[in-house]
């Protein structure tokens, strides 16, 4: 175990040292799983949990590696807890080695009234054949929401309302969970005209989710069957309010740009 830890620390040090050149001699570790800190909800602070995630793949080594020369993704991030025992977390740069091979990519965009559901597909035509072996599958999502809330009540009475967009991906076990947007909470006192109108939204959020261990295997079956990779994305709303006689969200829109990326040999 000690030798494994030394090798892993050395690999990380080598990866950091070679990240400037964006390539490194690399080797390949068989697929497995390990406990990792993963993002479960964005906010201030972000919230994370420890979950089992796929491991293995290429890593930088000294000398000539069995997988040849790997490119290095310097934009990759990992997560760590801010304080031990708390779920608050922060991200840090964590360059990763990308195995030699090819890449297939598809981008889908949707902008509409919530709730909505649409399917994004990485078509089979992006792969040279059904015999390719998938090495990774990621989903990059850029999302922006806006909404209008209205209500009426007794002048001078305190009120509050909160709003968030709830997100999901199907099949749910293919990809890491798509976190909900941060909850927006507004408080105040009902004005003399008895009416409260509020228009707001969330900042543009961008994150990358990785395939689960079983999800990558299922995606491999899709490609081997010649059907390409299809995932369904859904967004709905959740809101709570108090202090009003009647209130609710009556105009909600969410815009998402989703990119599916698969690497293969």
């Amino acid at each position: 175990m000690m030798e494994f830890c030394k090798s892993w620390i050395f690999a990380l040090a080598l990866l950091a040292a070679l990240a400037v050149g964006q390539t490194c001699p690399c080797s390949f570790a068989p697929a497995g799983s390990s406990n990792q800190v993963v993002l479960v909800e964005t906010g201030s602070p972000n919230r994370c949990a420890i979950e089992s995630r796929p491991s293995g793949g290429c890593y930088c080594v000294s000398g000539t590696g069995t997988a040849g020369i790997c490119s290095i993704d310097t934009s990759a991030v990992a997560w760590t807890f801010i304080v031990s025992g708390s779920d608050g977390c922060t991200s840090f740069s964590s360059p990763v080695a990308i195995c030699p091979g090819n890449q297939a990519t598809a981008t889908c965009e949707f902008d509409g009234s919530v709730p909505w559901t649409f399917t994004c597909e990485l078509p089979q035509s992006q792969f040279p054949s059904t015999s390719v072996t998938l090495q990774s599958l990621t989903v990059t999502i850029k999302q922006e929401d806006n909404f209008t809330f209205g209500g009426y009540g007794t002048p001078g009475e305190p009120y509050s309302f909160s709003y968030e967009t709830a997100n999901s991906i199907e099949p749910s076990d293919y990809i890491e969970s798509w976190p909900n947007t941060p909850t927006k909470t507004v408080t105040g006192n009902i004005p003399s005209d008895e009416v409260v109108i509020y228009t707001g939204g969330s900042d543009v959020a961008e994150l990358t989710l990785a395939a689960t261990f079983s999800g990558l295997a299922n995606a491999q079956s899709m490609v081997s069957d010649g059907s390409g990779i299809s995932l369904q994305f859904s967004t709905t709303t959740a809101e709570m309010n108090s202090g009003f006689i009647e209130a609710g969200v009556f105009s909600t829109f969410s815009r998402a740009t989703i990119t599916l990326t698969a690497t293969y040999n």
Side-chain angles (χ1 to χ4, degrees), residues 123-265:
Q124 187 67 31
S125 60
Q126 292 289 90
F127 300 96
S129 73
T130 58
S131 61
V132 299
T133 300
L134 295 185
Q135 293 182 324
S136 67
L137 174 64
T138 59
V139 176
T140 300
I141 304 172
K142 182 182 291 186
Q143 183 183 22
E144 181 181 9
D145 304 314
N146 60 77
F147 67 94
T148 300
F149 175 92
Y152 74 92
T154 303
E157 289 294 311
Y159 71 83
S160 69
F161 69 86
S162 62
Y163 167 89
E164 71 175 3
T165 301
N167 307 307
S168 63
I169 303 175
E170 292 292 339
S172 59
D173 59 345
Y174 276 35
I175 301 290
E176 293 175 299
S177 297
W178 181 9
N180 296 344
T181 58
T183 301
K184 178 73 174 182
T185 300
V186 177
T187 61
N189 293 313
I190 295 175
S192 58
D193 63 3
E194 303 180 353
V195 177
V196 173
I197 300 292
Y198 180 89
T199 299
S202 65
D203 296 331
V204 177
E206 184 171 356
L207 73 162
T208 298
L209 307 174
T212 63
F213 184 71
S214 61
L216 186 60
N218 290 329
Q220 177 69 65
S221 296
M222 289 181 175
V223 173
S224 298
D225 291 342
S227 57
I229 301 171
S230 295
L231 296 172
Q232 187 178 86
F233 299 83
S234 298
T235 289
T236 186
T237 60
E239 57 98 3
M240 296 180 61
N241 67 79
S242 64
F244 295 97
I245 296 174
E246 187 173 349
V249 174
F250 59 85
S251 177
T252 314
F253 291 88
S254 181
R255 174 185 303 151
T257 301
I258 296 172
T259 301
L260 306 184
T261 303
T263 59
Y264 60 87
N265 274 338

Side-chain angles (χ1 to χ4, degrees), residues 6 54 61-62 64 86 89 98 103 198 204 207 209 225 235 253:
K6 289 180 178 178
V61 294
S62 61
T64 302
S86 171
C89 59
I98 305 300
Q103 180 173 287
Y198 180 89
V204 177
L207 73 162
L209 307 174
D225 291 342
T235 289
F253 291 88

